[in-house]
Amino acid sequence: SLCDKQPIGRLLFRKFCDIRQDLKGCIEFLDAVAEYEVAADEDRRSCGLQILHMFFDAEAATPLPEIPTRVLKECRLRLKQNPGKDVFEECTRIVHNYLSGEPFEAYKESSYFSRFLQWKWLE
């Protein structure tokens, strides 16, 4: 919740992830899914297919945590049948769980987290 629900925490965690190439892709993926969720119904399928292509195709250069093939197949199927807002829900959960592990521990040791604590103290 420090990095998701609180605006300053969210901003500083994102800045921390931007400086680490292995985490930058996770934030880009989460942003793409957020755009997908608010896309117009008629645009949602193409937006979802673009996400699958950009982040999960063999030539995708964006590093993400390991998402099981079963989950990706389910996403593709749901996009073809009925592209609802929750198509990428499990993928998003996997990425959030990954970011809350080792990357969050590294964040707590960074100057970004110190700055977050300073803001909270002033608040």
Side-chain angles (χ1 to χ4, degrees):
S1 90
L2 294 177
C3 303
D4 197 31
K5 305 285 187 236
Q6 298 184 27
I8 190 68
R10 180 178 171 86
L11 175 72
L12 290 169
F13 184 72
R14 288 164 119 2
K15 285 185 178 266
F16 169 75
C17 291
D18 277 344
I19 64 168
R20 292 191 42 189
Q21 193 61 32
D22 59 325
L23 301 179
K24 189 174 185 174
C26 293
I27 298 300
E28 290 171 355
F29 170 74
L30 294 174
D31 288 344
V33 170
E35 285 181 34
Y36 166 83
E37 290 173 347
V38 297
D41 290 342
E42 59 272 4
D43 298 334
R44 197 170 284 145
R45 179 174 283 119
S46 64
C47 185
L49 291 172
Q50 184 178 3
I51 289 171
L52 288 173
H53 173 69
M54 194 162 54
F55 294 99
F56 300 110
D57 281 351
E59 67 272 358
T62 307
L64 286 177
E66 188 64 37
I67 296 184
T69 307
R70 163 192 68 77
V71 173
L72 294 177
K73 284 182 182 178
E74 187 177 311
C75 287
R76 282 184 187 3
L77 180 64
R78 291 174 70 192
L79 271 174
K80 287 179 184 174
Q81 293 175 347
N82 184 19
K85 292 183 179 187
D86 61 346
V87 167
F88 294 103
E89 186 175 356
E90 192 167 349
C91 295
T92 303
R93 185 183 51 76
I94 291 169
V95 172
H96 274 233
N97 287 343
Y98 170 74
L99 289 174
S100 66
E102 183 274 323
F104 182 70
E105 294 301 318
Y107 168 67
K108 290 192 320 189
E109 300 298 322
S110 73
S111 62
Y112 294 97
F113 187 69
S114 296
R115 183 155 302 140
F116 170 74
L117 293 177
Q118 290 170 347
W119 272 101
K120 294 311 282 181
W121 188 77
L122 283 173
E123 194 176 71

